[in-house]
Amino acid sequence: MTLSLRQRRRLETAREIQKATLKLVVQRGIENVTTEEIAASAGISTRTFFNYYLNKEAAAIGEPPGYREEDMEALQTGTASLAADLKTFLDKHMETLAEDEAVLRMVGSVLRSNEKARGILDGFLASERDQLTECLFARVKDRQIAAALASNATDVTERAIRLWEQSESLSLIAALDIIWEGLLSAAQLLAASSE
Amino acid sequence: MTLSLRQRRRLETAREIQKATLKLVVQRGIENVTTEEIAASAGISTRTFFNYYLNKEAAAIGEPPGYREEDMEALQTGTASLAADLKTFLDKHMETLAEDEAVLRMVGSVLRSNEKARGILDGFLASERDQLTECLFARVKDRQIAAALASNATDVTERAIRLWEQSESLSLIAALDIIWEGLLSAAQLLAASSE
DNA sequence: CCCAATCCTTGCATAGTGTGCAAATTGTGC
DNA sequence: GCACAATTTGCACACTATGCAAGGATTGGG
């Protein structure tokens, strides 16, 4: 038991709130749901809601899964080609995201309709991108190259999720494959014309 | 005179409000400035403030200059290499941004400290990215490649601006050159390892 | 020059957001 | 069990944002 009762309850309540938020938000749109309703639906007071999340947009997004340490380690020390190792890394992360497709879809709909939510997610993504930049810097030894690669990594994931949301028949991994192919082709175009 | 008095006043008031907002926000941080203060400082009522901007973050950002039609035209029909034409396009856009470095710097500081503001800017960037995707699609005939290129274009501009903000000695164009070189190197790495 | 249509500004009322504070309750570790 | 720390909650309060309606200014036609 590595988590105390208090810590487990805290996590559970946070998830309860997110569940309640997404349920109401999907029904009526985030603009038409009040923090009061969310709190009532989650069985807590309005004040307590704000002890868990700064606002309802943050509650809807929850805490997105970041990159896993082990995967970053593997990317940093990988021996295959950079493209291959990076693709493996992105596949792993996408598998993590695929564990909760329902939430992913609901959060996506919030992000498309609400600027504030978009900004909050941007904060999470920026921090992931920074981590990945450090990791790639250790491998490619050049900060600008690492930053460009990291940007493309988070961007590819985002675009793949959007493609998956729209397609109705693609799996997340399949969507990532398609977006990834596009990135490689774009890279070849740029590389070829700048030799 | 293509603009009526009313239209000119509207634009002028919008800029007045942005100026007043940025002035107060730079002094005290956006969280410590109220819409009431901004309105007073701009010489209008609080209610009128909300006739111009949805919120103070939007007032701070104002209306960022989008891509110019002529530049997109040139990019679409360009005959040099794709990399060269794209770089020219980005240079042009950066020159436009460089026309108001003071505002750019102030807006940047807001974006770094405020999630809502980032979300709002994200909306503008997303729409620019979509335009650019269409433009590039007409040139490269592949939607995924166009999307990857357009993403990198907006991303490169953003990263260049951040580098410029931090460096204190680089010009915007010089910062763009550095970031652009990083992108090309990254593209070559990816292209080489995926042949 | 005047009039009607239109747009703009403003005050007021109101619903909702988010924070500080302090009292009460509940888990933690010794 | 007891002292300590974290959590919940109500309450007060400042601030955000919108709808509405009255009044004022601009426009264009006659």
Side-chain angles (χ1 to χ4, degrees):
Chain A
M1 199 105 10
T2 74
L3 288 182
S4 73
L5 173 59
R6 253 186 200 159
Q7 291 170 307
R8 264 180 293 132
R9 278 207 189 148
R10 192 155 187 90
L11 284 181
E12 199 182 332
T13 306
R15 283 184 200 284
E16 275 311 311
I17 296 174
Q18 188 191 13
K19 262 181 61 179
T21 305
L22 286 175
K23 183 177 173 186
L24 290 171
V25 158
V26 164
Q27 284 173 8
R28 287 190 270 148
I30 197 162
E31 322 287 349
N32 303 314
V33 173
T34 68
T35 54
E36 208 169 345
E37 289 172 305
I38 295 170
S41 164
I44 57 174
S45 74
T46 307
R47 190 63 186 80
T48 300
F49 171 88
F50 287 110
N51 285 345
Y52 281 86
Y53 294 102
L54 289 175
N55 46 62
K56 60 184 172 186
E57 289 79 10
I61 292 175
E63 178 130 8
Y67 296 130
R68 283 185 309 189
E69 275 305 324
E70 16 169 343
D71 295 341
M72 303 213 338
E73 189 69 22
L75 174 58
Q76 185 175 330
T77 63
T79 56
S81 73
L82 179 63
D85 286 339
L86 189 51
K87 178 59 162 49
T88 301
F89 174 82
L90 292 175
D91 277 337
K92 288 268 174 79
H93 187 234
M94 196 55 101
E95 277 169 28
T96 307
L97 294 175
E99 283 169 15
D100 214 340
E101 294 200 348
V103 167
L104 194 59
R105 194 158 250 137
M106 289 189 282
V107 171
S109 82
V110 173
L111 292 175
R112 265 180 274 113
S113 73
N114 185 282
E115 290 178 335
K116 191 167 178 181
R118 189 63 229 173
I120 292 168
L121 183 72
D122 232 54
F124 285 112
L125 292 181
S127 124
E128 289 184 9
R129 203 162 42 231
D130 288 347
Q131 280 178 48
L132 195 48
T133 300
E134 286 311 311
C135 170
L136 286 165
F137 175 60
R139 173 151 176 177
V140 304
K141 317 286 187 205
D142 178 300
R143 187 133 248 135
Q144 297 305 339
I145 297 177
L149 291 169
S151 272
N152 273 288
T154 56
D155 180 64
V156 156
T157 304
E158 264 189 284
R159 295 217 317 278
I161 292 173
R162 201 165 320 165
L163 178 58
W164 166 77
E165 285 174 342
Q166 291 167 353
S167 85
E168 301 280 335
S169 72
L170 284 176
S171 71
L172 275 163
I173 292 291
L176 179 57
D177 284 343
I178 292 173
I179 301 292
W180 177 256
E181 279 309 313
L183 174 62
L184 287 188
S185 303
Q188 279 157 8
L189 263 180
L190 281 186
S193 63
S194 67
E195 283 292 341
Chain B
M1 197 100 15
T2 73
L3 289 182
S4 74
L5 173 59
R6 256 187 199 154
Q7 291 171 307
R8 263 179 295 130
R9 278 206 191 147
R10 189 153 190 93
L11 283 182
E12 199 182 332
T13 306
R15 282 184 202 284
E16 275 310 311
I17 296 175
Q18 187 191 14
K19 263 182 61 180
T21 304
L22 285 175
K23 183 176 172 186
L24 290 171
V25 157
V26 163
Q27 284 171 9
R28 289 189 271 147
I30 197 163
E31 321 288 349
N32 304 313
V33 173
T34 67
T35 53
E36 207 169 346
E37 290 173 304
I38 295 169
S41 164
I44 57 174
S45 74
T46 308
R47 191 61 186 81
T48 300
F49 171 88
F50 287 109
N51 284 345
Y52 282 85
Y53 294 103
L54 288 175
N55 46 61
K56 59 185 172 185
E57 289 79 11
I61 292 175
E63 178 130 7
Y67 296 129
R68 283 185 308 189
E69 276 304 325
E70 15 168 343
D71 295 341
M72 303 212 339
E73 189 69 21
L75 173 58
Q76 185 175 329
T77 63
T79 56
S81 73
L82 179 63
D85 286 340
L86 189 52
K87 178 59 163 48
T88 302
F89 174 82
L90 292 174
D91 277 336
K92 288 265 174 80
H93 187 234
M94 195 56 100
E95 276 168 29
T96 307
L97 294 175
E99 283 170 14
D100 214 341
E101 294 200 349
V103 167
L104 194 59
R105 193 160 249 134
M106 290 189 282
V107 171
S109 83
V110 173
L111 292 176
R112 265 180 273 113
S113 73
N114 185 281
E115 289 177 336
K116 192 168 176 180
R118 264 207 305 271
I120 291 167
L121 183 72
D122 231 56
F124 285 110
L125 292 180
S127 123
E128 289 183 10
R129 203 162 42 232
D130 288 347
Q131 279 177 49
L132 195 48
T133 300
E134 285 312 311
C135 170
L136 286 164
F137 174 60
R139 173 152 176 177
V140 304
K141 318 286 188 205
D142 178 301
R143 187 132 248 135
Q144 297 304 338
I145 296 178
L149 291 169
S151 273
N152 272 290
T154 57
D155 180 64
V156 156
T157 304
E158 262 188 286
R159 295 215 320 276
I161 292 174
R162 201 165 320 167
L163 179 59
W164 166 76
E165 284 174 342
Q166 291 168 352
S167 84
E168 301 281 337
S169 71
L170 284 176
S171 71
L172 275 164
I173 292 290
L176 180 57
D177 285 343
I178 292 175
I179 301 292
W180 177 256
E181 279 309 313
L183 174 62
L184 287 187
S185 303
Q188 278 156 8
L189 262 180
L190 282 185
S193 64
S194 67
E195 284 291 342

